[in-house]
Amino acid sequence: MAESSVAGAHLDDADRVMQPITRLQDRMVIRGGKPLRGRVDVRGAKNLATKAMVAALLADTPSVLRDVPQISDVGVVTRMLDAYGVAVTSPEEGVLVLDPANVERAHFAQIDALAGSSRIPILFCGPLLHRLGEALIPDLGGCRIGDRPIDFHLDALRAFGAVVDKSYEGIRITAPDGLHGANIELPYPSVGATEQVLLSATLASGVTELKNAAIEPEIMDLIAVLQKMGAIITVEPSRTIFIEGVDHLSGYTHRAMFDRNEAASWASAALATGGDIFVAGAKQQELLTFLNVYRKVGGAFDVQEDGIRFWHPGGPLRAVQVETDVHPGFMTDWQQPLIVALTQAEGVSIVHETVYENRFGFTDALIEMGANIVVHKDGIESVTRRVPRRKLEQAAVVTGPTPLHATDMVIPDLRGGFSHIIAALAAEGESRLSNLSLINRGYEHFADKLADLGADFTLED
Ligand code: EPZ
């Protein structure tokens, strides 16, 4: 860990990388009723950048990642890499240089303290087993949106020949004979488990066949990163991925794909507030399903060279039926912000959440604001379903339009939190929001962007 001192404070590399990640005050007072208008710039995807940073551990030379968002999840991964001896520096804003020359063991307690509630430690397993022959995972636990088990991950690692030991501290994984290729079929196309297999199979001896894989754009971008490093990965049409193990991987230079979750969030904010937002950096290909639903609801959009303009064209919004699903379906992370706009649509909308078992908790606050939302904990049978019904699914029935009035809210999780802020911006009156730092996990320079869009708010400690 290289040391330097700026302004008297001893800053190591990780500190300097973290410095631009602005600390978001924990409370916000929003005076609603004003349409959001203007431009926001969306940078690299949280759900790719953090994984590409972990992939750098697999290389024997430094990697350069561009368009890295300044969000606290990047900070968590930076600190974890630092704890494992990876030198992470930032020569300029949005650029990270990751040098894995001196990878070393870290302590359980250290990783536990650094990881906090992040789920990222599970993805360090493959690279650490290759580099150190051991990986330690603190008890990850779930979060508000579901139990979030890691059984698919552990089953995959066992298939590669790893030994998994559970202890009170967490999980210790070793690979006494190294990792070898495996045939793995995922019970569900899990993003995380697919990334686990990709990060573990590239340096394993032999070929791995992964069936029922996730094919999200973030997965494809991670495959692009690994191929730049020297990996051989073939994606078959039928969610089957073949990975031919190689002897070594070198550092990559890569620009992270844009954050389509952030782009979809601002698009829904434009609709719910009756506004007009140009989302610079957004691309159509990765948002096709979202754009279809946006148009069905009555939102307008215009795809341009360097982004997409989203606006409320005036007139009533239309109720819709939405089913969340794995890619290329409607993403589960898009439903919370969109539901705020659906509270203003004429008629009965139904949102079937099929990916997580508990992702409608955020609607409690919307109901308090006057929204008419009924959550069906066991989901709703519906003839016009496209996505196969899952045991864990739930459904929300949203009847509109109902005017929203201000209230006090505690931010529950990242996407639920963004929906609360949109609702406060769309509501009449003054709302008080706390636990705001959660937003910083996935929305870069959040308050600055709101100010640029003309929102009327105050930040408080
Ligand atoms: C990734 O989570 C994203 N997070 C999530 O975004 C996103 O909602 C999710 O993929 C689906 O697209 C990151 O990339 C950091 P999964 P992940 O494994 O990988 C079950 C956001 O707001 N499952 O595809 O954890 C699981 O419980 C976040 O940016 C098992 O049962 O999601 C869930 O029901 C939220 N066992 C389903 O699969 C396992 O071992 C999908 O999970 C793994 C998953």
Side-chain angles (χ1 to χ4, degrees), residues 46-48 50-51 73 119-120 145-154 188-193 195 214 216 260-261 325-326 331-333 354-357 359 390 392 414-415 441:
K46 163 179 88 71
N47 295 346
L48 177 271
T50 49
K51 319 318 174 39
D73 274 22
R119 308 181 57 70
I120 210 78
I145 62 177
D147 292 346
R148 315 226 24 210
I150 55 170
D151 49 338
F152 304 167
H153 295 254
L154 299 181
Y188 181 79
S190 149
V191 168
E195 292 162 339
E216 270 64 7
R260 58 198 183 113
N261 292 347
D325 192 12
V326 294
M331 256 208 106
T332 169
D333 306 324
T354 76
V355 179
Y356 289 107
E357 68 271 29
R359 204 160 199 185
R390 293 186 74 204
L392 58 69
L414 181 58
R415 310 298 169 191
R441 284 199 41 226

Side-chain angles (χ1 to χ4, degrees), residues 7 21 44 47 52 93 187 213 242 250 322 324 364 377-378 380 390 396 401 406 412 422:
I21 297 176
N47 295 346
E93 189 180 322
F242 289 95
S250 312
V322 174
T324 68
D364 296 348
K377 294 271 183 223
D378 303 320
I380 294 179
R390 293 186 74 204
I422 301 178

